[in-house]
Amino acid sequence: MLELKGLSYQVEDGGVSTDILRGIDLTVSDNKFIVITGPNGGGKTTLAKSIMGLVQPTGGQILWNGTDITNLSITERAKLGISYGFQQPSRFKGLRVRDLLELASGNRKLTRDECCSYLNRVGLCAADYIDREMDASLSGGEVKRIEIATILARPGGLLIFDEPEAGIDLWSFAKLTETFRILHGRRENTIIVISHQERIIDLADEIVMISGGQVARHGPKEELMVHIMTETGGCSFLQPGAGCHQTEEG
């Protein structure tokens, strides 16, 4: 279980303080698929980075399975089973897909069958990818799915994805959505996805709407979609296609 208690994040610039997160309280039960959505600049990415340890909150607590991880390093959180997928995954020239999978598994030597299993679970033909380098020859959608495969190779329980649809084509987006559907169907992990996309939101058990650094609404998908449609005049900030999105800084 993930628990956020009064989570806050404040930045100062030229003596002026700005609240990015404002006392967020949130509980996420085990094996749930949660989509965090809301207007750009509302604090969604900062919230996700705070959970992973990429941003150090200035107030509040983060508890994972009863352990206070607020002041733990990224490495310590990863060892507790927390993983993070970036909007724009890095490409590692000179490293093969197999190398990344083995690094993610804790430098454990993986058999070909194990590597194939992780790649097959994200919809990639293992024979075509296992020995390929992580370079510019891979498309954005391929890199995204390989990143998810590396996350699966790491023993864990909390998977966080920041706008995984950003910058990929419609075909890759359809494959990505199917990958999330299959992952959730296994009920082996808690999944948190930041997204504006209706097709990803439709996979959620619960929706968390973040606006102005606060939880504006949180509840079952069926209930929250009605409010979102009403409050945004027809989902003005939701987008049904893949498209390209700029990185959110707030």
Side-chain angles (χ1 to χ4, degrees), residues 89-110:
S90 299
R91 297 175 186 261
F92 302 92
K93 189 174 182 180
L95 284 179
R96 300 172 301 166
V97 172
R98 175 198 290 271
D99 298 328
L100 283 181
L101 290 171
E102 292 182 343
L103 285 171
S105 67
N107 286 321
R108 182 170 62 90
K109 188 69 175 178
L110 298 177

Side-chain angles (χ1 to χ4, degrees), residues 1-249:
M1 178 181 289
L2 175 68
E3 299 173 87
L4 309 181
K5 298 183 178 183
L7 197 67
S8 301
Y9 181 64
Q10 185 180 75
V11 296
E12 291 193 12
D13 184 13
V16 178
S17 297
T18 302
D19 292 318
I20 307 300
L21 301 178
R22 307 184 183 194
I24 287 183
D25 293 311
L26 180 65
T27 298
V28 178
S29 300
D30 291 340
N31 301 326
K32 292 289 188 180
F33 191 120
I34 306 296
V35 172
I36 298 177
T37 192
N40 286 334
K44 303 183 300 297
T45 290
T46 301
L47 177 60
K49 288 182 175 179
S50 296
I51 297 170
M52 187 67 243
L54 296 165
V55 166
Q56 182 60 42
T58 53
Q61 281 184 303
I62 306 172
L63 303 177
W64 171 238
N65 292 333
T67 299
D68 189 340
I69 65 170
T70 311
N71 297 310
L72 295 187
S73 68
I74 297 172
T75 300
E76 290 171 318
R77 297 181 200 215
K79 288 179 179 178
L80 291 175
I82 303 175
S83 300
Y84 190 94
F86 291 88
Q87 284 188 27
Q88 300 295 334
S90 299
R91 297 175 186 261
F92 302 92
K93 189 174 182 180
L95 284 179
R96 300 172 301 166
V97 172
R98 175 198 290 271
D99 298 328
L100 283 181
L101 290 171
E102 292 182 343
L103 285 171
S105 67
N107 286 321
R108 182 170 62 90
K109 188 69 175 178
L110 298 177
T111 66
R112 187 176 183 84
D113 285 345
E114 287 176 309
C115 291
C116 290
S117 174
Y118 294 127
L119 292 171
N120 287 337
R121 286 173 66 181
V122 297
L124 295 176
C125 179
D128 295 336
Y129 290 92
I130 191 170
D131 292 315
R132 286 184 66 176
E133 288 192 12
M134 293 293 295
D135 55 23
S137 67
L138 293 170
S139 71
E142 289 171 326
V143 172
K144 287 284 180 71
R145 281 186 279 162
I146 290 169
E147 181 185 51
I148 295 174
T150 65
I151 289 174
L152 296 178
R154 178 186 297 279
L158 176 59
L159 315 181
I160 305 169
F161 298 94
D162 185 6
E163 293 197 34
E165 71 273 11
I168 64 174
D169 57 69
L170 287 171
W171 186 87
S172 294
F173 176 66
K175 291 291 185 180
L176 184 68
T177 304
E178 178 63 12
T179 296
F180 281 133
R181 187 190 66 78
I182 293 171
L183 285 179
H184 184 40
R186 295 176 183 270
R187 297 285 175 173
E188 297 174 346
N189 306 101
T190 300
I191 302 172
I192 296 177
V193 181
I194 295 175
S195 181
H196 297 100
Q197 299 294 340
E198 288 184 75
R199 277 185 282 176
I200 290 180
I201 292 174
D202 193 51
L203 298 173
D205 297 310
E206 299 175 9
I207 298 173
V208 179
M209 186 172 177
I210 300 292
S211 180
Q214 298 177 306
V215 176
R217 292 188 182 275
H218 175 207
K221 173 189 63 181
E222 294 77 12
E223 176 185 321
L224 263 291
M225 281 303 293
V226 174
H227 289 293
I228 292 173
M229 290 289 288
T230 301
E231 293 176 5
T232 63
C235 292
S236 61
F237 71 85
L238 298 179
Q239 304 170 41
C244 297
H245 309 289
Q246 295 180 347
T247 300
E248 178 187 333
E249 295 295 338

